[in-house]
Amino acid sequence: MFIGKNRGFFRRFQKEVLNKNNPFTIYTYIFVLMAFIILVMLKFNGLSLIYKGDALSQHFPNQFYLIKTINDFFFDFARNIESFNFKLGFGSDSLFTYYHYGLFDPLNILLVPLKNVDPVVVYSIRIIFRLYASGVCFIIMCRYFLSIRHEDRSVVSISLGAIIYVFSNYPLSSGVTHPYFGYSTILLPLMIIGASKLIRDNSKKMFVITSFLSIVVNFYFAYIIAFHVLIYSIVYIIKVTKGKNKRFIVGFRLFFRGIYSYLIAVLLSACVIFPMIYGIVNSIRNNSICIDLPIITQRHIVLRYFFDFFKTPRAGDAVTAGIAIVTLFTISLLFCSKGRTKLKLLCAIVVVAVFVPKFQSAMTGFSYANYRWTFAVALLVSYIFVEMFDELTGLNNKENKKMLNVCYAYMFLYVVYAIHLFFKKSYPESLTLAMLDVSGLIVFLSYTYVLVYKNGNKKRRYLIAMTVVTICMSMCVYVGKASIAGVLAKTKSARNMITSRELIELSNVCGSTFERVDNSDPRSMNFSDIYGYGSSSIYYSIENKNLSMFNLIMKNSKAAPVTLMNNMDSRVALDNLMSVKFYVGRKKIPYGYEQTYMKDVYVNSNYIPFGFTYDSFVDYKQVRDYSSLDLQELMLRSCVVEGVDKNIKNKIKSGNIARNVEKIGDNLSVKLSLSGKIKTSKKINLVADLKANKNGELYLHLPSQDSFKNMDKLEARVNGESNRTNFTKKNTRWYSGETDSLINLGYLKKGTHKVEISIPSGVEFDTKDISFEIRDVKYVEEASKVLSREYLKKISTNSRGFEGEIDVSKDKLMFVSIPYGDSWRAFVDGREAEIKKANIGFMAIHLGKGRHRVRFVYDRPYQKIGLIVSLGTLLLLGIFKLYNLISKKSV
């Protein structure tokens, strides 16, 4: 109907665009249409392309850091590019932190001309550009394979294949949730071309370049891409060696050629991956437990994967393939036709991967089974569409029959599965699923009608139009689903997050690099990237192991998992040790913080400046079994040092390590509304009536992360003020050895109080496991004054470290609240000083009596040796190339 009424327009479009032998032009036209639909609908719904989860807290803030770093590189000749970011999470290595987020992504060159554009708009442009680049690389791959086979396919089939590839679920879900996931959809087609040229023509250049680029951009996805290219190469080698003499030897030589070519790429990228491998191996992520994977994937997961295969993309859903339903017909035709064994074998390998979790784990770095590899499935299915579309449009009714029977069988099972889900789900979710399933069935029947009752050019035109229209409709549904599910951040919220007047003013007030800021906003983990102030939080891929261990030992409930550190849970002792001067928020204000002239901004009246000094120490061996609350009190009186030497013992006095002997019952009485073992059948509130006999911080103790079975979050209200805490269960992939849970419920004054804990249905717990403790914090004022007497002054920082001056009245230990690392070196008056691990995860140096100039220098591990290897490899390749040129000229 639509085409009939607009036949003139369609014919002009076909003449001026479709008949031109340029798939890039057609692809660009259709891509612009799809992108326009997405962006207009997002605009209409007030949404951005920023995913609410990790994108809002990681990818969006790091854009500010990347803009600054890239502009420094181009316009300041890299003089201000820092090795270490002192403002993020008490200090973090810049490479370890930002490598996974596009530090070496060549597409980030876009950030140079767009540095003054609205950051939310820039973020969307970056995602749209990555999507467009993915389609361009797909077209390049298709044209290459057709050229080497001296075959031809219509430019429309190639263009539509690129659209199907780009607007499938992986780029629109994983690629939006984590923009760096989108690199894989760009690099995989190019690397497959490189592998093909390597095997076919012994041309290593493209394979080495694309492999090098994939490693430098992101070595985790470089591994996943390389795994898929390895599978493709093995299948291709089997094909090209078929029927040859000494087939095994020839195949082994081709395989070995690929291995040493990839090794060259690894050596060229050594300056990046050598330190990065060190960083990941020495992070606590490397200590995570290994989840026992089943031999066969659970039935409901397999069914969901195959019957959701052709559904509309869903933001935040990493499992659904989300490929246009027209590919169902091209896949069926592939298996109903002779030849193309390579494509059939690759499809069989995909099926095996879906059924075998350990195979999935191997493809994704031997971690937990996940679907980060499905970009390869999207590439394979889209390429099958290109191969089979012209044949599909040229089939007559008899030839259609076998292919259609396969499709009918699939759709019959699809309907049965949909009915099963309809009765299994509750209203209104069941109704929504039914509507989507019926829409998919209608689209399928529409394609079937065209294939059966249309012939020649009409069939072709209808199929092209229907494919474009259905993908357009799919994009509308995609945005609609995202809007209903609430997985994308509102544009207004994203802009408000980066335009806080209080934080802008606070950033100006914090003159010193190490006057740190705490923030109650759960999105604030990486606010230092946006506002440039010293932060007490961090949430990025790799975190210093010693900082993680500090949070683990001190049972910081706001670091759950330990690599996601919101803050110090408003524990005043820890805030003071970390030189936190300001607190931003409206609830759970730490003890000793006073309101400033800025709204919701509080200043620490007991602030201890960075680089403060202790006149006493305690050997960590003596207090290793202390509770975290005892330890935090002790660390405000004496420096807890590991590896105490004679110099420290002889010159600095030993601290008092007496335990806190106060009985909990003397300070706090508790009455619970429930008792015994309880299993909830509905949502309930557990109420604790408290009577505090003194002022102090109230803590909730739980003996295990699983004290509340089947509950991942605990929400407690203290006198009506809400407090939410996450648990890290043993069966999760984030578990790193967490034992009991300690939650600071805030500072309370003497008197009666009420704590309400919200418990959902289906939760099991024992009230005997729930205990409260109140800790006096009067000692904080006195201890802070003592520690603040002598500290590092006139501090200046550079790209590799910091320095300052200090005057001490006697031999002391200067504590540095930057996570400990072997890559730090300290110099006192020009002489190197030994750095001790202090207060569990940080640094301290010994200072003799008098005035000193102190300097700390950061040298990234394996950076120099990696650079030497990269330059050496490049030099050897240049010499080898020159030798070949001279040899050819001589001949």
Side-chain angles (χ1 to χ4, degrees):
M1 295 289 291
F2 175 81
I3 296 176
K5 290 180 180 180
N6 297 275
R7 197 169 291 169
F9 166 77
F10 187 80
R11 283 179 177 171
R12 285 198 305 272
F13 183 76
Q14 184 181 31
K15 182 180 179 180
E16 295 174 10
V17 179
L18 301 187
N19 290 341
K20 291 183 179 180
N21 191 26
N22 188 350
F24 297 104
T25 303
I26 303 171
Y27 165 69
T28 301
Y29 273 107
I30 303 174
F31 179 89
V32 169
L33 174 63
M34 301 298 175
F36 178 78
I37 291 171
I38 292 173
L39 294 175
V40 168
M41 287 197 66
L42 288 173
K43 179 76 173 176
F44 179 79
N45 288 281
L47 298 174
S48 66
L49 268 176
I50 306 171
Y51 181 68
K52 262 189 178 179
D54 290 344
L56 196 62
S57 59
Q58 296 182 73
H59 307 295
F60 185 51
N62 81 61
Q63 178 177 281
F64 292 79
Y65 183 89
L66 293 177
I67 287 174
K68 177 184 178 301
T69 302
I70 292 170
N71 276 276
D72 283 347
F73 179 82
F74 282 104
F75 299 112
D76 200 29
F77 305 104
R79 284 178 296 187
N80 290 330
I81 294 182
E82 56 190 18
S83 296
F84 198 84
N85 185 352
F86 293 103
K87 296 181 179 180
L88 183 63
F90 305 129
S92 300
D93 185 291
S94 300
L95 176 63
F96 297 165
T97 306
Y98 299 101
Y99 167 78
H100 288 291
Y101 299 90
L103 188 61
F104 298 109
D105 174 18
L107 295 182
N108 278 335
I109 194 73
L110 281 172
L111 293 173
V112 175
L114 297 175
K115 66 177 182 178
N116 296 320
V117 178
D118 179 357
V120 178
V121 174
V122 173
Y123 190 88
S124 298
I125 291 173
R126 292 172 67 202
I127 289 179
I128 294 296
F129 191 79
R130 284 192 180 94
L131 292 175
Y132 181 75
S134 300
V136 170
C137 293
F138 177 85
I139 293 172
I140 292 170
M141 184 191 76
C142 291
R143 296 185 80 180
Y144 167 76
F145 282 121
L146 292 172
S147 67
I148 63 174
R149 298 204 312 259
H150 304 290
E151 294 181 8
D152 194 17
R153 295 290 183 277
S154 66
V155 293
V156 176
S157 66
I158 298 174
S159 305
L160 287 181
I163 290 294
I164 290 169
Y165 176 56
V166 169
F167 292 99
S168 60
N169 189 72
Y170 186 93
L172 291 176
S173 180
S174 297
V176 173
T177 304
H178 302 279
Y180 70 90
F181 281 27
Y183 303 145
S184 52
T185 57
I186 298 171
L187 292 172
L188 179 60
L190 299 180
M191 199 162 163
I192 285 177
I193 296 173
S196 179
K197 286 186 173 184
L198 182 67
I199 295 169
R200 179 183 171 85
D201 306 320
N202 194 21
S203 176
K204 305 178 185 67
K205 186 185 295 183
M206 186 169 183
F207 181 74
V208 171
I209 291 173
T210 53
S211 299
F212 166 78
L213 190 59
S214 70
I215 296 167
V216 167
V217 168
N218 189 290
F219 76 80
Y220 174 68
F221 273 95
Y223 169 84
I224 299 176
I225 293 170
F227 196 99
H228 287 99
V229 172
L230 176 65
I231 293 172
Y232 164 80
S233 300
I234 291 171
V235 172
Y236 193 29
I237 288 171
I238 291 171
K239 180 184 175 182
V240 298
T241 57
K242 186 177 181 180
K244 290 188 176 183
N245 294 329
K246 299 181 179 180
R247 181 181 180 185
F248 178 79
I249 296 174
V250 173
F252 178 78
R253 285 175 180 171
L254 292 173
F255 183 78
F256 181 74
R257 184 190 298 168
I259 295 298
Y260 81 73
S261 296
Y262 196 81
L263 180 61
I264 291 172
V266 171
L267 294 176
L268 283 171
S269 60
C271 57
V272 173
I273 65 165
F274 278 20
M276 278 304 303
I277 291 173
Y278 172 89
I280 194 72
V281 167
N282 286 277
S283 71
I284 205 164
R285 283 195 168 207
N286 194 48
N287 297 343
S288 297
I289 63 169
C290 180
I291 297 175
D292 188 24
L293 297 172
I295 297 174
I296 300 296
T297 305
Q298 293 177 337
R299 184 178 63 182
H300 72 277
I301 297 176
V302 172
L303 289 174
R304 181 190 169 191
Y305 186 82
F306 285 110
F307 290 118
D308 284 3
F309 200 89
F310 305 102
K311 283 191 176 179
T312 303
R314 292 186 285 193
D317 178 7
V319 178
T320 302
I323 299 290
I325 201 168
V326 67
T327 57
L328 170 62
F329 299 96
T330 54
I331 294 170
S332 301
L333 182 59
L334 171 71
F335 282 93
C336 292
S337 306
K338 293 181 180 180
R340 296 186 175 88
T341 308
K342 185 169 66 172
L343 290 177
K344 293 176 182 177
L345 184 55
L346 290 172
C347 288
I349 292 171
V350 169
V351 174
V352 172
V354 173
F355 275 95
V356 183
K358 290 188 177 181
F359 190 22
Q360 296 178 33
S361 176
M363 286 196 295
T364 53
F366 295 94
S367 60
Y368 59 94
N370 60 61
Y371 287 86
R372 291 174 182 168
W373 53 276
T374 54
F375 61 90
V377 179
L379 181 68
L380 175 62
V381 173
S382 302
Y383 184 74
I384 290 171
F385 171 86
V386 174
E387 284 283 327
M388 307 305 300
F389 182 72
D390 289 346
E391 291 185 26
L392 184 69
T393 58
L395 293 177
N396 57 40
N397 290 341
K398 289 183 179 180
E399 293 170 328
N400 273 340
K401 190 174 181 180
K402 188 176 180 182
M403 178 267 296
L404 287 174
N405 285 337
V406 175
C407 296
Y408 290 148
Y410 173 88
M411 290 307 296
F412 173 76
L413 296 174
Y414 170 84
V415 171
V416 172
Y417 179 70
I419 294 171
H420 165 72
L421 287 182
F422 176 79
F423 288 107
K424 188 176 180 180
K425 301 288 183 179
S426 58
Y427 181 86
E429 185 182 2
S430 60
L431 181 61
T432 304
L433 286 171
M435 290 173 64
L436 292 172
D437 291 334
V438 169
S439 67
L441 184 59
I442 292 171
V443 172
F444 169 77
L445 293 175
S446 300
Y447 274 111
T448 304
Y449 172 81
V450 172
L451 288 169
V452 173
Y453 293 105
K454 300 295 179 181
N455 291 307
N457 284 333
K458 282 189 176 181
K459 179 191 287 188
R460 181 179 180 80
R461 287 201 301 268
Y462 271 89
L463 287 177
I464 293 170
M466 287 177 62
T467 301
V468 174
V469 170
T470 54
I471 295 178
C472 286
M473 293 170 59
S474 180
M475 294 306 97
C476 295
V477 176
Y478 164 78
V479 178
K481 284 181 182 178
S483 180
I484 294 169
V487 295
L488 296 177
K490 290 189 176 295
T491 303
K492 185 177 179 181
S493 299
R495 290 202 176 110
N496 289 341
M497 190 177 87
I498 63 177
T499 56
S500 168
R501 292 182 180 179
E502 289 79 16
L503 296 184
I504 292 171
E505 177 66 17
L506 185 58
S507 181
N508 295 329
V509 170
C510 291
S512 171
T513 307
F514 302 105
E515 289 180 349
R516 294 183 173 125
V517 178
D518 200 352
N519 197 313
S520 63
D521 190 333
R523 301 169 303 170
S524 70
M525 283 83 74
N526 304 311
F527 269 17
S528 65
D529 281 348
I530 300 172
Y531 294 102
Y533 57 60
S535 174
S536 64
S537 57
I538 185 174
Y539 179 28
Y540 279 126
S541 286
I542 299 179
E543 179 184 280
N544 185 295
K545 181 178 182 178
N546 293 297
L547 177 59
S548 301
M549 290 305 298
F550 175 82
N551 283 318
L552 198 63
I553 291 170
M554 298 307 294
K555 305 189 189 306
N556 179 10
S557 66
K558 293 303 179 186
V562 293
T563 52
L564 191 165
M565 184 175 71
N566 286 326
N567 49 55
M568 292 286 107
D569 198 19
S570 296
R571 287 156 69 170
V572 64
L574 299 185
D575 271 351
N576 285 11
L577 284 167
M578 300 300 125
S579 298
V580 173
K581 188 172 184 178
F582 296 98
Y583 183 87
V584 181
R586 298 183 180 181
K587 59 182 182 180
K588 205 175 176 181
I589 312 301
Y591 170 77
Y593 282 71
E594 300 173 353
Q595 177 76 57
T596 67
Y597 68 91
M598 293 175 282
K599 183 182 177 182
D600 300 330
V601 177
Y602 297 80
V603 63
N604 187 359
S605 59
N606 300 310
Y607 168 67
I608 307 175
F610 176 83
F612 62 84
T613 55
Y614 289 96
D615 62 3
S616 64
F617 78 95
V618 172
D619 193 331
Y620 183 52
K621 291 179 182 178
Q622 298 175 274
V623 295
R624 194 180 291 273
D625 62 340
Y626 274 36
S627 73
S628 62
L629 295 181
D630 287 340
L631 275 174
Q632 72 181 28
E633 289 187 21
L634 175 62
M635 288 188 293
L636 273 182
R637 296 185 171 100
S638 297
C639 187
V640 178
V641 183
E642 293 186 36
V644 177
D645 55 31
K646 291 182 179 179
N647 188 46
I648 294 176
K649 285 184 178 180
N650 293 337
K651 296 184 178 181
I652 300 176
K653 67 181 180 181
S654 180
N656 183 3
I657 59 171
R659 288 179 182 271
N660 186 310
V661 294
E662 291 179 310
K663 294 182 179 179
I664 295 174
D666 295 339
N667 300 321
L668 183 70
S669 60
V670 182
K671 184 179 180 182
L672 297 177
S673 60
L674 300 170
S675 62
K677 295 182 178 179
I678 296 169
K679 183 176 181 179
T680 60
S681 58
K682 61 180 182 179
K683 182 179 178 180
I684 64 169
N685 283 337
L686 175 64
V687 180
D689 292 310
L690 310 178
K691 184 178 180 180
N693 298 323
K694 66 176 183 179
N695 301 341
E697 286 181 334
L698 177 67
Y699 289 91
L700 169 63
H701 287 269
L702 298 171
S704 167
Q705 297 286 317
D706 206 30
S707 293
F708 289 94
K709 291 183 180 178
N710 306 319
M711 191 167 86
D712 296 328
K713 296 178 181 179
L714 183 142
E715 186 171 348
R717 292 180 300 280
V718 183
N719 300 327
E721 188 177 276
S722 180
N723 186 331
R724 181 171 292 181
T725 301
N726 295 329
F727 296 120
T728 308
K729 307 279 188 174
K730 280 189 176 181
N731 61 347
T732 67
R733 60 180 181 267
W734 307 115
Y735 180 75
S736 300
E738 290 85 347
T739 53
D740 53 323
S741 183
L742 179 67
I743 303 167
N744 178 21
L745 296 178
Y747 177 75
L748 300 181
K749 291 186 177 181
K750 181 179 178 180
T752 58
H753 303 276
K754 179 180 286 188
V755 177
E756 295 176 272
I757 300 175
S758 299
I759 303 172
S761 62
V763 174
E764 298 179 47
F765 66 98
D766 192 336
T767 56
K768 291 181 180 179
D769 293 337
I770 300 170
S771 62
F772 295 88
E773 179 179 356
I774 195 164
R775 284 280 179 142
D776 194 348
V777 289
K778 282 185 178 179
Y779 71 93
V780 172
E781 296 178 21
E782 182 182 348
S784 298
K785 288 178 182 177
V786 173
L787 296 176
S788 300
R789 288 172 185 166
E790 297 172 353
Y791 59 91
L792 196 64
K793 299 178 181 178
K794 297 181 181 179
I795 301 175
S796 62
T797 62
N798 56 44
S799 61
R800 290 188 56 212
F802 66 93
E803 59 182 314
E805 296 178 359
I806 189 169
D807 193 356
V808 290
S809 56
K810 58 181 177 180
D811 282 51
K812 286 189 172 186
L813 288 169
M814 188 184 85
F815 175 70
V816 177
S817 53
I818 293 173
Y820 178 87
D822 295 334
S823 40
W824 281 104
R825 290 187 300 156
F827 298 87
V828 179
D829 301 326
R831 294 182 180 180
E832 189 164 358
E834 183 181 3
I835 299 176
K836 295 291 185 181
K837 186 187 287 188
N839 292 344
I840 299 175
F842 300 91
M843 299 187 286
I845 59 171
H846 171 254
L847 296 175
K849 179 181 177 181
R851 183 181 294 274
H852 303 285
R853 186 74 184 173
V854 176
R855 184 164 62 97
F856 274 69
V857 178
Y858 181 77
D859 288 314
R860 184 176 295 121
Y862 292 95
Q863 182 75 80
K864 290 179 181 177
I865 189 171
L867 187 60
I868 291 170
V869 171
S870 293
L871 292 175
T873 305
L874 189 62
L875 180 62
L876 288 174
L877 287 176
I879 293 171
F880 183 74
K881 184 69 175 177
L882 183 62
Y883 174 77
N884 283 343
L885 289 173
I886 294 172
S887 299
K888 287 180 180 179
K889 286 183 179 180
S890 298
V891 173

